[in-house]
Amino acid sequence: QADTYPGRGKLQCYSAAAMESFRNYMMNKYKSLPAVNTRWSTYLNSIMEIRPPVDVDRFFKDAIDTKYGMDLLTWYEKSMLNHLDLQADAAKKYLSGYGIRFGVKIAGIHWLYNSPKMPHAAEYCAGLVDYRKILGFLKTRNLDLTFTCLEMNDGLKSKPPYYSAPETLVDHVGGIANEIGLPMYGENALELRDANEIEYKKIREKLILYNMKGFTLLRYDDLFDDAGEPNGNFDVFCGVFF
């Protein structure tokens, strides 16, 4: 199911404004409807027929590598980056005088990474199509990156129905960030309240491997009780990191 974990999620492009944007993008690229039909191998009779897929499962299974599929995802990701650009400009306009750096958190959408029927579909629905392009955009805009799921490994849920590969994903993104010189920070994804040294050592390994600038512990109560006092997990955490 699309809307339940570990489903692919839903494409966020079916509003009137989004579909108009997609039509305009395609017409600006190909200049005419006949040219669109030629490139897509379609028989559209009106530009109003230029639209996101009706059957999204079928799209991810059968049409993702077609020219239509590549055009749709290129526009989809570009729309996300355009929105990010606007948000970054607004943040810098009002906060740039405080001597802080600006960054972007990208969630590790690791399920369906290796799905035999629709690989990466969950990432694509989130707009995460080409990490090299996304990270290159952050570098150009002088925005740091925070990426999640540092504590996870591929073996936990690598089989159906998850087809999950979080460590592979972290390595892929971390490698690109290092290659292009993009400052990168890390974050865990799951609760670490009952964690052992394995999870903390995995985090430390990735922080060192990709020269990350810092780490965000996602949940305060993983290490502290309701009164704010360190719990037993705090000593394990400190033993690994300090």
Side-chain angles (χ1 to χ4, degrees):
Q1 297 181 0
D3 54 357
T4 58
Y5 179 78
R8 57 171 166 76
K10 297 181 179 180
L11 289 172
Q12 305 296 306
C13 56
Y14 291 90
S15 68
M19 290 195 286
E20 181 181 8
S21 173
F22 182 48
R23 289 193 297 270
N24 290 339
Y25 181 84
M26 291 299 100
M27 292 304 293
N28 286 333
K29 180 174 183 178
Y30 294 122
K31 309 306 180 185
S32 70
L33 186 62
V36 172
N37 280 324
T38 297
R39 297 304 300 270
W40 288 0
S41 299
T42 53
Y43 300 92
L44 306 180
N45 296 308
S46 165
I47 62 171
M48 297 303 292
E49 295 179 39
I50 298 175
R51 56 157 295 148
V54 175
D55 187 336
V56 180
D57 278 344
R58 183 178 178 184
F59 167 76
F60 279 118
K61 292 176 182 177
D62 301 328
I64 194 72
D65 292 324
T66 65
K67 186 59 179 174
Y68 165 75
M70 290 184 284
D71 278 341
L72 176 75
L73 292 181
T74 297
W75 161 80
Y76 192 65
E77 182 179 71
K78 183 177 178 62
S79 298
M80 179 188 71
L81 294 179
N82 287 342
H83 178 70
L84 171 59
D85 209 20
L86 292 173
Q87 298 301 309
D89 281 343
K92 290 179 178 180
K93 177 180 179 180
Y94 292 104
L95 299 173
S96 59
Y98 293 92
I100 59 176
R101 287 200 53 83
F102 296 88
V104 173
K105 174 181 172 179
I106 297 179
I109 309 296
H110 50 78
W111 53 99
L112 299 186
Y113 190 95
N114 290 319
S115 168
K117 293 183 178 180
M118 51 176 74
H120 303 286
E123 296 162 87
Y124 294 165
C125 282
L128 305 173
V129 180
D130 184 340
Y131 290 102
R132 184 170 293 277
K133 182 183 294 184
I134 295 170
L135 269 58
F137 172 84
L138 299 184
K139 173 73 172 179
T140 300
R141 297 292 279 109
N142 195 28
L143 297 167
D144 297 344
L145 168 67
T146 293
F147 200 76
T148 68
C149 63
L150 264 63
E151 85 283 12
M152 301 178 71
N153 64 67
D154 291 353
L156 292 176
K157 293 182 177 179
S158 60
K159 298 179 181 180
Y162 303 96
Y163 298 107
S164 186
E167 186 171 5
T168 297
L169 179 57
V170 169
D171 289 341
H172 177 59
V173 172
I176 295 173
N178 274 196
E179 180 183 334
I180 67 174
L182 175 67
M184 182 176 179
Y185 297 76
E187 183 177 297
N188 60 298
L190 304 178
E191 288 186 355
L192 296 175
R193 189 176 309 166
D194 298 319
N196 55 41
E197 284 188 329
I198 295 175
E199 284 81 3
Y200 294 130
K201 286 182 177 179
K202 177 66 68 175
I203 292 170
R204 186 174 184 272
E205 171 191 323
K206 298 306 179 185
L207 291 174
I208 295 172
L209 182 61
Y210 296 112
N211 192 32
M212 295 189 192
K213 307 303 180 183
F215 172 73
T216 299
L217 178 69
L218 188 58
R219 298 167 182 87
Y220 180 84
D221 63 357
D222 285 344
L223 302 183
F224 300 90
D225 61 25
D226 292 341
E229 296 297 326
N231 60 27
N233 214 26
F234 181 81
D235 290 335
V236 179
F237 179 86
C238 290
V240 171
F241 288 99
F242 305 104

